[in-house]
Amino acid sequence: MTHPAQPIASHFINGEYVEDAAGTPIPVIYAYTGEQIATVHAATPAIVDAALASAEAGQKIWAKMSGTERGRVLRRAADILRERNHDLSVLETYDTGKPLQETLVADATSGADALEYFGGLAGSLTGEHIPMGEDWVYTVREALGVCVGIGAWNYPTQIACWKGAPALACGNSMVFKPSETTPLCALKVAEILHEAGLPAGVYNVIQGMGEVGGALVTDPRVAKVSLTGSVPTGRKVYAAAAADMKHVTMELGGKSPMIVFDDADIDNAVGGAINGNFYSSGQVCSNGTRVFVQKGIKEKFLARLAERTGNAVLGDPMDEATSFGPMVTENQMNIVLGYVEKGKAEGARLICGGKRADRDGFFVEPTVFADVTDDMTIAREEIFGPVMSVLDFDTEEEVVARANDTEFGLSAGVFTKDFTRAHRVIGNLEAGSCFINSYNDAPVEAPFGGVKASGVGRENSKEAIKHFSQVKSVYVRMGDVEAAF
Ligand code: NAD
């Protein structure tokens, strides 16, 4: 019998599901059971071409509609996502292995937030009137054209919406390529957008590995590429997009610092460290994986952290009591376990976890290392799993310098009761998305994105509008033209 997660077909182009079985089969494996629950096919060149052609035609129709009309479609789609939240959350859990306890509140719901927010903004995207005496200049905020979205595997519904909603609000069309690891959820987003009244071709989804992404990025019909992925992929995609001077948004990896001062509320800081390391089993780009704890509270912090980490409920992701799920794939589990072994070998002190859980599924126990030093591999490289490194520090000046000593710059957090210090420290940290006495909040109203190798551009908030539109300026002369001859 066909598993309920199996989509009708692999791709969604020009308003309908499309199959081309000549494409390489991509198995979809449920991370909890290891069972193959679905198969999709990578896009063939014919599918890539059909998706881009339909996006090009759809964009022309979509851009002619008023912003208010476009916004209405996005807001209707948001309502449908919310109505179907339970089923979409189950699908997200099948796609990623994340527990239903999380997916019910973090995935289709945050996708709906983005559609609602950008749907609300769509009618207000206007230009300026700039008086120049008798003459004037006016500006027009225009769509870019066909945009390509390429997703990572940790938040397949959210990424499809975070890219699609601002792109569509501005009058662009999109071809979205989900990660080959999690191909299911974006198809539902496309289906729901069209059910909400989107003209055919405005939001298309095609499957495939990096080479399909590469074919999209280099196609001359594409005006913009928005990638969520790792830094090495970001470098390749940014370089490929540069050939045609395409616009880019790069949402890449991180190794973010979370700094806990002696005066912090310990339970809040421990809560922040848990949210910033173990949510989605640590598969979150903005995670605060270098937890710097001031020496005076170090042992107290570690004891409370170990105690609370012991409360994680590993289990069936479909059971709402489960609060910690498996890694997305066996391969990702092995990568993470490799880092755990490196941490042990390089002399970090294991506080808890440190191995594959003794149960079915690709589970790595929530792991905390203490006495981590700046040069250890686990303190330098993005692990993308549930491995927290706790480092000690003495002074503010020292910790800021050490926190910034990384190629990454996605996020940063500080826990302290001294508000002057909190703002001063955040002001000195090289990161795009920061937190004071909190960690990993990502409301659609707030800009999200990184500095340094963690990326360029911003998602969410009004900032995203700037990255999915361009400004035309028009000088209007009311009098005669003066010329030298
Ligand atoms: P990845 O870089 O391996 O792949 C990302 C996407 O890029 C996939 O869809 C993949 O098929 C595609 N791709 C690969 N090579 C390509 C190429 N040459 N041209 C075009 N597309 C190509 O990343 P992943 O393993 O899927 O995801 C984990 C990474 O994503 C982590 O580094 C994580 O930090 C990052 N991430 C960042 C954010 C953010 O918003 N900053 C959010 C989630 C994940």
Side-chain angles (χ1 to χ4, degrees), residues 87-125:
D87 288 355
L88 294 170
S89 303
V90 168
L91 189 67
E92 174 94 18
T93 293
Y94 277 130
D95 220 3
T96 61
K98 292 186 295 181
L100 199 57
Q101 190 189 86
E102 285 186 17
T103 56
L104 281 170
V105 296
D107 293 284
T109 52
S110 78
D113 285 352
L115 289 161
E116 187 173 12
Y117 177 86
F118 288 106
L121 281 186
S124 68
L125 304 178

Side-chain angles (χ1 to χ4, degrees), residues 150-154 159 177-180 208-210 213-214 217 227-231 233 236-237 251-254 285 382 384 410 448 459:
I150 301 178
W153 42 255
N154 55 347
I159 295 171
K177 189 198 84 64
S179 164
E180 56 273 33
M209 302 10 140
V217 172
L227 168 79
T228 296
S230 62
V231 173
T233 304
K236 280 188 222 155
V237 171
E251 291 292 350
L252 309 176
C285 53
E382 183 184 46
F384 224 58
L410 186 50
F448 182 80
E459 295 201 300

